[in-house]
């Protein structure tokens, strides 16, 4: 099989700022492009902006700007957004570019000369936001089914494309290619659209009303209808008709769209292609809507959009990408929220993956001299067997959320593997065996990091760096065991997915080396009674305690203000580390430290169960 892959996003209208709904489709396309590149495909990834038409023209008017200046500015915003999200497109097409206009006019001419375009009068129900006419039946309670806004009855002299002529052909094509439109539900929708006449398509607008568009080559008084113009971006960017890119990539085209633009892509576009003598695209992949907090489609018109810029800034671009891909079953409407993103971040990324890297590094330092140990044969975990192959299938079938779930299940299994093998105990009996366990974990992480690279390219490169692995990878390297080479790992590595407090706390639990009873005896622990407590004068988090050891008093500064009020502490018997070197904390000298137990956000003081005088030794 020829390994060539071409993926496109819709080209976005420049009448609105990019929001999370746009970002989603673009992230999916980037994920697919990266996945295929990693898998050795010659890959081309196209995105861009749709800059003609009535909506854009009116938006420019409202903004009080010249349309060209307006589209230049907003188009840049999209580029900026994609940069922030790590979108590595190969080309960004703008429909106002010469290279695009040329192709639109060429195709129009071809179809016109073939007799598939004619002039006529049209009357219909038009939604200005959608830039299209609706049939009575398509409306929802008389309103535009997408925007919920009134439609206008319009009568116009238009040029028409003989779309109906190609309906039977398209129906047959769809039946012969059951995987053309995916997921299946959308295919059935199209089949039912095609089960009755679809009519011809109005493909022009009078220039007098909409001056912002590509003129028809044979009639300057009309500009091209924005959809006929826009759809052609998928080939104009490849230098249709005789560009090398067109020849190479077009037969492998995967279009990604949202379900609201199904009809233009599943009906207009194929019939246009047929009429122009261009072969059909390979797949039309249809995504569902991201829903806002109100459960409705996220859209500018509804005012419920989530800003991808600020989420990327706060959680990191890779975490946002991961969230979108992991959370949303492709094709289905899915509610999205910052809260759900945070949950994924904390549980999947910080607790499972980030923590695995941290503890692995810590153990490599303790039990393997800070090196990746000598290779040992073989995967030991069921979850890892055949994983890359399964992933390929899942990705090609658009089941991204399942694909990521499987890799994360492997990460979880690696954590369990460590817990079961207990390298810290094994090391005492058989250091070689402890190192073998660690090697397997490093290999597992190497493999998982490759598989997660298309979703989180930056973080996974960082992960590999933290383990002394090579950064550049190929997918097939995930299918081979033993590629992690022995060698030193870097002394310092940033926490991959920092999470206030918790990550470090967990780490401490495992970091401890075994100590002898003599080691322990070095710590002088004593019962102490709180005789006074007050807030620290210079720090909100700290309390200043006066403790009695029976025949001696101590001042101790303790970071427990979040959990205890000073007045509730007086009288409590706590445990003091009595021989800790004094330290000044925000200007107050602390003569020791009291013990507390912490788990996540909870903290309780260690107190003494029963009656014993202050000063008593604890051991
Ligand atoms: N310009 C046309 C596409 C022309 S393609 C030849 C267009 N632009 S758009 O900016 O309005 O929408 C672009 C894409 O963003 C569509 O696929 C649309 O489905 C998608 N989304 C817009 N809001 C969305 C959500 N809330 N959720 C998911 N996708 C959404 O249509």
């Amino acid at each position: 099989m020829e390994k060539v892959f071409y993926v496109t996003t819709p080209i976005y209208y420049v009448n609105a700022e990019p929001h999370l709904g746009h970002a989603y489709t673009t992230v999916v396309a980037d994920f697919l492009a990266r996945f295929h590149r990693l898998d050795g495909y010659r890959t081309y990834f196209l995105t861009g902006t749709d800059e003609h038409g009535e909506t854009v023209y009116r938006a420019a008017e409202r903004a009080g700007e010249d349309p060209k200046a307006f589209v230049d500015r907003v188009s840049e915003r999209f580029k900026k957004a994609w940069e922030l999200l790590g979108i590595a497109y190969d080309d960004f097409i703008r429909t106002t570019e010469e290279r695009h206009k040329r192709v639109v006019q060429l195709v129009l001419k071809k179809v016109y000369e073939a007799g598939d375009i004619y002039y006529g009068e049209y009357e219909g129900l038009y939604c200005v936001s959608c830039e299209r006419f609706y049939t009575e039946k398509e409306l929802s309670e008389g309103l535009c089914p997408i925007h919920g806004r009134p439609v206008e009855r319009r009568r116009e002299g238009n040029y028409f494309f003989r779309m109906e002529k190609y309906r039977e052909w398209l129906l047959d094509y769809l039946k012969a290619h059951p995987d053309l439109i995916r997921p299946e539900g959308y295919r059935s929708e199209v089949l039912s659209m095609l089960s009755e006449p679809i009519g011809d398509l109005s493909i022009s607008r009078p220039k007098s009303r909409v001056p912002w568009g590509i003129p028809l080559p044979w009639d300057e008084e009309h500009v091209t209808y924005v959809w006929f113009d826009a759809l052609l971006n998928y080939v104009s960017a490849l230098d249709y008709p005789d560009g090398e890119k067109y020849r190479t990539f077009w037969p492998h085209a995967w279009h990604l769209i949202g379900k609201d633009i199904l009809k233009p892509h599943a009906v207009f576009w194929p019939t246009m292609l047929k009429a122009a003598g261009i072969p059909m695209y390979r797949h039309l992949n249809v995504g569902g809507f991201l829903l806002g907090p109100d459960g409705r489609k996220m859209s500018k018109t509804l005012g419920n959009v989530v800003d991808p810029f600020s989420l990327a800034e706060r959680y990191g671009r890779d975490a946002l990408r991961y969230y979108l891909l992991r959370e949303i079953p492709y094709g289905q409407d899915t509610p999205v929220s910052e809260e759900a993103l945070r949950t994924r971040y904390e549980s999947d990324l910080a607790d499972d993956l980030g923590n695995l890297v941290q503890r692995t590094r810590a153990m490599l330092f303790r039990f393997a001299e800070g090196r990746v140990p000598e290779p040992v044969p073989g995967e030991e975990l069921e979850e890892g067997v055949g994983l890359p192959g399964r992933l390929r299938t899942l990705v090609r079938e658009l089941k991204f959320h399942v694909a990521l779930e499987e890799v994360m299940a492997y990460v979880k299994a690696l954590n369990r593997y460590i817990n079961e093998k207990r390298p810290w105990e094994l090391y005492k009996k058989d250091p070689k065996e402890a190192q073998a366990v660690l090697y397997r974990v490093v290999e597992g992480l190497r493999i998982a990091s490759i598989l997660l690279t298309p979703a989180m390219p930056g973080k996974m490169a960082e992960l590999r760096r933290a383990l002394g692995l090579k950064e550049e990878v190929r997918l097939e390297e995930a299918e081979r065991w033993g590629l992690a080479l022995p060698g030193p790992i870097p002394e310092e590595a940033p926490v991959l997915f920092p999470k206030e407090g918790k990550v470090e706390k967990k780490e401490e639990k495992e970091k401890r080396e075994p100590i002898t009873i003599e080691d322990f005896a070095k710590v002088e622990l004593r019962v102490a009674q709180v005789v006074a407590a007050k807030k620290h004068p210079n720090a909100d988090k700290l309390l200043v305690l006066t403790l009695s050891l029976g025949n001696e008093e101590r001042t101790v500064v303790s970071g427990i203000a979040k959990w205890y009020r000073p007045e509730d502490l007086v009288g409590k018997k706590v445990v003091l580390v009595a021989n800790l070197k004094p330290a000044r904390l925000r200007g107050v000298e602390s003569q020791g430290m009291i013990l507390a137990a912490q788990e996540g956000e909870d903290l309780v003081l260690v107190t003494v169960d029963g009656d014993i005088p202050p000063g008593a030794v604890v051991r």
Side-chain angles (χ1 to χ4, degrees):
M1 189 197 54
E2 207 188 349
K3 291 182 95 175
V4 183
F5 183 69
Y6 174 40
V7 64
T8 68
T9 72
I11 49 172
Y12 300 99
Y13 284 134
V14 286
N15 61 315
E17 291 277 312
H19 63 65
L20 204 57
H22 306 128
Y24 171 63
T25 312
T26 313
V27 165
V28 170
D30 186 64
F31 171 83
L32 281 168
R34 287 179 188 267
F35 191 91
H36 285 86
R37 258 184 233 127
L38 201 66
D39 201 11
Y41 283 71
R42 272 188 78 183
T43 298
Y44 206 74
F45 168 17
L46 175 70
T47 189
T49 40
D50 192 352
E51 307 188 355
H52 288 130
E54 204 167 343
T55 318
V56 171
Y57 184 67
R58 289 196 187 166
E61 265 182 351
R62 270 198 307 278
E65 275 178 82
D66 165 68
K68 181 70 174 97
F70 177 78
V71 298
D72 285 351
R73 184 169 61 76
V74 185
S75 184
E76 271 311 305
R77 293 287 294 166
F78 278 89
K79 284 193 178 160
K80 187 86 208 148
W82 304 155
E83 190 187 315
L84 274 170
L85 291 175
I87 306 296
Y89 51 75
D90 293 290
D91 197 357
F92 189 104
I93 184 130
R94 302 180 52 193
T95 53
T96 49
E97 288 174 285
E98 268 319 308
R99 59 170 175 157
H100 175 72
K101 291 189 199 167
R102 208 167 40 233
V103 171
V104 171
Q105 293 196 326
L106 183 86
V107 170
L108 279 168
K109 202 155 164 271
K110 203 164 164 184
V111 178
Y112 184 64
E113 281 167 6
D116 277 344
I117 291 177
Y118 63 93
Y119 187 78
E121 288 262 302
Y122 184 88
E123 190 179 290
L125 304 163
Y126 192 83
C127 171
V128 180
S129 299
C130 297
E131 305 253 23
R132 59 169 281 203
F133 283 95
Y134 281 99
T135 62
E136 209 72 70
K137 224 174 69 190
E138 285 173 315
L139 299 180
S140 109
E141 294 170 8
L143 303 173
C144 161
I146 304 292
H147 297 91
R149 300 213 297 207
V151 290
E152 296 170 17
R153 184 161 285 279
R154 282 197 182 173
R155 193 181 179 80
E156 267 179 13
N158 284 178
Y159 284 92
F160 287 85
F161 163 54
R162 293 189 196 282
M163 190 160 75
E164 175 62 25
K165 175 177 158 188
Y166 296 103
R167 183 167 64 93
E168 288 294 331
W169 164 81
L170 182 53
L171 208 48
D172 291 344
Y173 191 95
L174 273 173
K175 286 179 183 156
H177 299 84
D179 66 349
L180 186 80
I181 301 176
R182 313 181 296 179
E184 174 62 31
Y186 297 108
R187 173 174 189 264
S188 339
E189 217 176 286
V190 175
L191 285 174
S192 93
M193 279 180 212
L194 293 174
S195 67
E196 45 193 280
I198 50 175
D200 290 343
L201 180 68
S202 156
I203 54 132
S204 69
R205 295 292 176 268
K207 205 168 180 171
S208 53
R209 185 166 64 75
V210 189
W212 187 239
I214 302 174
L216 300 184
W218 62 89
D219 185 346
E220 289 277 318
E221 290 312 303
H222 292 262
V223 298
T224 314
Y225 169 49
V226 68
W227 272 105
F228 200 98
D229 164 349
L231 287 160
L232 284 163
N233 89 89
Y234 301 132
V235 294
S236 71
L238 298 179
D239 305 328
Y240 170 83
D242 39 33
E244 143 78 15
K245 279 184 292 198
Y246 170 71
R247 276 195 302 276
T248 307
F249 293 109
W250 178 248
H252 306 275
W254 285 36
H255 293 315
L256 292 179
I257 60 163
K259 66 177 187 181
D260 52 335
I261 53 177
L262 179 60
K263 189 172 176 188
H265 283 83
V267 180
F268 305 176
W269 184 220
T271 52
M272 282 167 63
L273 289 171
K274 182 69 181 163
I278 305 173
M280 184 72 117
Y281 50 76
R282 183 68 195 87
H283 285 300
L284 180 63
N285 306 306
V286 189
F289 288 151
L290 272 63
L291 308 176
D294 54 358
R296 299 209 288 168
K297 178 196 175 194
M298 200 179 281
S299 87
K300 190 194 166 204
T301 326
L302 296 173
N304 60 351
V305 299
V306 173
D307 172 16
F309 294 90
S310 91
L311 287 181
E313 199 175 299
R314 277 177 294 143
Y315 294 86
R317 63 158 68 144
D318 281 3
L320 178 57
R321 293 166 59 107
Y322 172 82
Y323 165 69
L324 293 172
L325 292 161
R326 171 67 188 85
E327 190 87 2
I328 301 172
Y330 188 77
Q332 291 178 32
D333 290 357
T334 307
V336 291
S337 65
E338 178 170 351
E339 201 179 308
L341 164 58
R342 189 181 319 119
T343 305
R344 284 275 170 222
Y345 183 91
E346 294 190 348
S347 64
D348 298 16
L349 299 180
D351 289 352
D352 291 346
L353 182 56
N355 189 45
L356 176 60
V357 176
Q358 293 287 105
R359 66 195 298 217
T360 303
R361 277 178 49 80
M363 287 187 291
L364 289 174
F365 281 114
R366 265 177 297 148
F367 310 127
E369 295 160 357
R371 297 171 59 83
V372 173
E374 290 300 318
V376 290
E379 173 63 86
E380 296 212 320
L381 303 174
E382 206 184 310
E383 289 81 353
V385 177
L387 184 56
R390 283 206 302 285
L391 227 61
R392 268 200 194 94
T393 310
L394 287 167
V395 168
R396 301 271 305 174
E397 288 174 351
L398 312 172
K399 299 195 179 103
F400 317 119
H401 71 298
V402 185
L404 293 183
E405 189 179 8
E406 291 232 352
V407 188
M408 294 311 284
Y410 183 47
V411 167
K412 279 196 166 72
L414 288 166
N415 270 315
R416 275 199 307 275
Y417 178 69
I418 297 176
N419 298 345
E420 279 156 21
K421 295 288 177 183
R422 308 176 78 78
W424 49 94
E425 282 175 12
L426 208 51
Y427 183 71
K428 286 180 268 179
K429 289 176 269 176
D430 186 349
K432 274 265 159 288
E433 195 43 42
Q435 287 167 4
V437 168
L438 290 180
Y439 184 82
R440 289 199 181 91
V441 175
V442 172
E443 261 302 273
L445 271 167
R446 181 185 67 80
I447 289 167
S449 88
I450 295 176
L451 300 177
L452 291 171
T453 289
M456 299 186 281
K459 287 290 175 186
M460 292 306 101
E462 222 177 272
L463 183 159
R464 290 191 286 274
R465 256 197 314 277
L467 293 173
L469 302 168
K470 77 181 170 81
E471 275 173 49
E472 287 299 312
V473 287
R474 284 174 291 134
L475 192 66
E476 74 183 24
E477 291 169 339
E479 294 176 295
R480 288 163 57 199
W481 183 266
L483 295 187
L485 299 176
I489 66 169
E491 300 256 321
E492 299 286 332
V495 175
L496 264 193
F497 299 102
K499 187 174 75 169
E500 276 184 355
K502 203 166 178 183
V503 174
E504 283 82 358
K505 293 282 150 35
K506 268 202 171 165
E507 190 40 36
E508 279 164 20
K509 269 191 209 166
E510 283 133 3
K511 236 188 210 155
R512 305 277 183 255
E513 282 205 34
I515 57 170
T516 61
I517 188 88
E518 289 79 21
D519 290 334
F520 179 70
K522 287 183 189 159
V523 184
E524 184 192 351
L525 296 174
R526 283 173 180 272
V527 173
Q529 187 160 31
V530 182
V531 293
K534 59 175 194 228
K535 292 187 168 154
H536 191 291
N538 314 317
D540 291 346
K541 292 189 178 156
L542 303 178
L543 295 183
V544 180
L545 312 179
T546 308
L547 303 178
S548 162
L549 291 181
N551 50 8
E552 174 191 358
E553 271 194 1
R554 297 276 186 100
T555 302
V556 166
V557 178
S558 181
I560 55 172
K562 190 168 155 197
W563 295 275
Y564 289 93
R565 288 185 302 184
E567 57 270 30
D568 296 338
L569 288 168
V570 176
K572 278 198 194 299
K573 283 184 185 155
V574 295
V575 176
L576 174 75
V577 181
N579 61 336
L580 197 66
K581 278 190 190 148
R584 287 192 87 75
L585 296 175
R586 294 292 194 100
V588 179
E589 187 179 79
S590 181
Q591 305 152 330
M593 169 179 107
I594 59 171
L595 300 186
Q598 185 166 21
E599 182 67 42
E601 293 297 298
D602 301 323
L603 178 142
V604 294
L605 284 174
V606 174
T607 54
V608 180
D609 172 33
D611 201 17
I612 191 121
V617 173
V618 178
R619 57 175 154 233

